[in-house]
Amino acid sequence: MSNSIINSGLKNSVTYQAYRDLVKNLVEENASTGPVQNDDLANYTRLNDKRMKRWDKTIKITEDDRKKIEAFDKKSTWLVITESWCGDAAHVLPAINKMAELNDNIDMKVVLRDENLELIDAFLTNGGRAIPKVIMIDDATGEVLNTFGPRPSEATNLVNRFKAENGGLTPEFKEDLQHWYNKDKGQNIIKDVAKILTEVSPVNVA
């Protein structure tokens, strides 16, 4: 993958706050991000705006995870690929933002998948354009340090197990997954990403 694809994504990205403002405006317009516009996607966007608003206020980070995040010493940009209608993204992005706010070395940016297909095609999940996807980029070298997404580890296991047993995801399962996110309160996301940080930049956080 060439650096030009990453650089193009960075050029097209916005801050988390700008993305939140975009979603809020889309709700007022009964619309969504992406080339396809319909009532379902507009309704998902409205629901996700409420989810993000709630998580922005309520997500907590444990002392152990806070130490890991604050100890991360590589100047990096976390480029998050998403769309407003994506249910998983509404839970993941606020948690990623909370982490980025704890460390000045981390600059979170948000970019839309369907306007940056070359970018998502360089970071496919099992051959699919699954979102959200967090790309951690070393600011000094442009190297991709690691990626996270589209789901935290426990949710991924739930999805994979259900797919293996049922051949695909049902509307009922997707509702159950949203309940799982609500119960977990962002903790699995935070712990997964904190673990990545300690692997990318090992330090003694005891």
Side-chain angles (χ1 to χ4, degrees), residues 116-132:
N116 297 272
L117 294 180
E118 266 195 310
L119 179 65
I120 190 63
D121 284 347
F123 295 94
L124 299 177
T125 303
N126 300 322
R129 292 171 170 169
I131 51 175

Side-chain angles (χ1 to χ4, degrees), residues 55 59-60 91 95 181 184-191:
W55 291 134
I59 281 183
K60 300 284 190 291
H91 301 285
Y181 274 117
D184 182 70
K185 296 180 168 55
Q187 294 309 299
N188 190 205
I189 299 162
I190 293 164
K191 289 190 184 309

Side-chain angles (χ1 to χ4, degrees), residues 45-193:
T45 297
R46 180 176 294 103
L47 184 58
N48 289 339
D49 181 52
K50 290 178 182 174
R51 286 172 176 152
M52 287 189 286
K53 198 176 292 181
R54 183 175 77 244
W55 291 134
D56 285 339
K57 291 177 181 175
T58 61
I59 281 183
K60 300 284 190 291
I61 298 179
T62 66
E63 189 60 33
D64 182 52
D65 290 328
R66 180 184 292 271
K67 285 179 181 176
K68 292 174 183 174
I69 298 160
E70 290 177 344
F72 182 66
D73 62 358
K74 283 186 182 290
K75 284 274 185 190
S76 60
T77 300
W78 293 7
L79 185 60
V80 188
I81 309 172
T82 192
E83 292 287 344
S84 68
W85 42 259
C86 176
D88 293 293
H91 301 285
V92 171
L93 266 69
I96 296 297
N97 180 59
K98 288 288 183 187
M99 299 182 78
E101 285 180 339
L102 287 177
N103 191 324
D104 288 340
N105 288 319
I106 302 166
D107 184 20
M108 178 183 174
K109 296 289 187 182
V110 182
V111 67
L112 298 178
R113 182 191 72 175
D114 294 343
E115 293 177 7
N116 297 272
L117 294 180
E118 266 195 310
L119 179 65
I120 190 63
D121 284 347
F123 295 94
L124 299 177
T125 303
N126 300 322
R129 292 171 170 169
I131 51 175
K133 197 81 170 186
V134 184
I135 307 165
M136 301 174 181
I137 305 155
D138 187 321
D139 288 347
T141 65
E143 173 194 359
V144 175
L145 299 168
N146 212 321
T147 63
F148 169 81
R151 298 182 181 98
S153 55
E154 290 178 26
T156 298
N157 291 338
L158 290 172
V159 168
N160 290 345
R161 196 177 308 130
F162 192 89
K163 277 184 177 177
E165 293 172 359
N166 300 276
L169 301 183
T170 62
E172 291 78 15
F173 174 81
K174 290 178 181 177
E175 194 171 315
D176 287 343
L177 186 61
Q178 295 305 319
H179 291 315
W180 177 88
Y181 274 117
N182 289 338
K183 190 176 177 183
D184 182 70
K185 296 180 168 55
Q187 294 309 299
N188 190 205
I189 299 162
I190 293 164
K191 289 190 184 309
D192 281 355
V193 175

